[in-house]
Amino acid sequence: MNIQYKIFSKGCIDVLPLLIPVVPFGIIFGVIGIESGLGSTVTFLMSIIIFAGSSQLAFAQLFTGGATTPVIVSSVAIVNSRHFLYSAVIAQYLTKLKLFWKIVLSYFLTDQAFIVSQKYFKQQPKNKDRHYHLLGSGFTLWFVWQLSTVAGIILGEVIPKELNLAFAVPLTFISLIIVDIKKIDHLIVAITSGVFAIIFFNLPLRTYIIVAAAAGILVAYGLSHSKLYKKK
């Protein structure tokens, strides 16, 4: 077993605990896609092309509501804008990779993959093959997401509404937050973002996501600099 395969396998294993809520999330999207009139083919292709659960749900809901194409496209882009932050963090570890690798890894860079692979990258600063960890974690999530979407498409007419599977959507992101909350300042940043998201929830085009993220970043920046100031 070569080193690349070992790192790839570790990425697959590390991301598994975060995939528990992804399965019902994918099923929910499959069901909503069919109920929205997108059809099984379009619903499945969205999971392959867009490959972003929250953005796909926003697309389906806006499509059902009769939103115009510019509104749908801009909303999906805004919901997915957090990946700019992910890529900015991950880019520092991938500067020496070829363009092909960067394109492939950017496709597999998701919330869950970012959480586990960033941690691994920090632990392996000199490992030239560390990008295989992101490939493993991202591919595992991709595979599970596709299977879940197919299950949702097939079972869309069978699953009773009383199950209220929509709870899995926020549960997925809560699980990501809990993993990263280890100190009081992490908790403060998370609460700040949550409060701003609630306050500005009614902003058009789901821009409350950007406002909440910006507020969290500003608070994190302030806390980090206050710590540096105290040390001095």
Side-chain angles (χ1 to χ4, degrees):
M1 184 182 296
N2 58 40
I3 186 64
Q4 289 90 351
Y5 182 75
K6 287 182 179 180
I7 297 175
F8 176 86
S9 299
K10 180 171 175 54
C12 296
I13 295 173
D14 287 347
V15 80
L16 288 179
L18 298 181
L19 300 186
I20 296 175
V22 170
V23 174
F25 195 171
I27 293 175
I28 290 170
F29 170 70
V31 172
I32 292 178
I34 298 300
E35 292 180 349
S36 301
L38 294 174
S40 57
T41 301
V42 174
T43 300
F44 180 65
L45 288 177
M46 282 179 64
S47 281
I48 294 179
I49 298 172
I50 300 179
F51 185 37
S54 55
S55 297
Q56 292 175 219
L57 286 173
F59 183 104
Q61 292 169 350
L62 289 170
F63 178 82
T64 304
T68 62
T69 299
V71 171
I72 294 176
V73 173
S74 59
S75 296
V76 170
I78 290 171
V79 173
N80 238 18
S81 61
R82 66 187 183 280
H83 288 83
F84 285 114
L85 301 177
Y86 295 164
S87 61
V89 174
I90 292 296
Q92 60 183 311
Y93 302 104
L94 309 178
T95 53
K96 295 183 180 180
L97 291 182
K98 294 182 178 179
L99 180 60
F100 172 79
W101 267 111
K102 292 180 180 180
I103 293 174
V104 171
L105 294 176
S106 66
Y107 175 72
F108 287 118
L109 183 59
T110 57
D111 302 292
Q112 294 83 353
F114 171 78
I115 290 292
V116 297
S117 292
Q118 182 204 16
K119 181 178 180 181
Y120 180 81
F121 288 171
K122 287 182 178 180
Q123 296 172 346
Q124 302 288 333
K126 298 182 179 180
N127 190 337
K128 65 178 182 179
D129 295 314
R130 60 186 173 223
H131 56 282
Y132 280 91
H133 188 279
L134 177 56
L135 181 65
S137 61
F139 175 78
T140 302
L141 175 60
W142 179 89
F143 186 73
V144 171
W145 181 251
Q146 307 311 320
L147 290 181
S148 302
T149 300
V150 172
I153 293 172
I154 296 174
L155 302 175
E157 301 298 329
V158 180
I159 298 176
K161 294 182 179 180
E162 289 75 12
L163 287 179
N164 192 25
L165 293 179
F167 78 94
V169 177
L171 181 61
T172 300
F173 294 100
I174 290 174
S175 66
L176 297 177
I177 294 174
I178 291 176
V179 170
D180 206 40
I181 294 180
K182 299 177 180 179
K183 299 180 181 180
I184 185 63
D185 52 350
H186 295 179
L187 181 61
I188 293 174
V189 172
I191 292 176
T192 300
S193 296
V195 170
F196 271 76
I198 294 173
I199 294 174
F200 295 97
F201 183 77
N202 292 321
L203 287 178
L205 301 179
R206 296 179 180 268
T207 50
Y208 74 92
I209 296 175
I210 296 179
V211 173
I217 292 172
L218 288 175
V219 170
Y221 180 82
L223 289 173
S224 63
H225 278 66
S226 63
K227 287 182 179 180
L228 292 174
Y229 178 78
K230 289 179 180 179
K231 288 181 179 180
K232 292 180 181 180

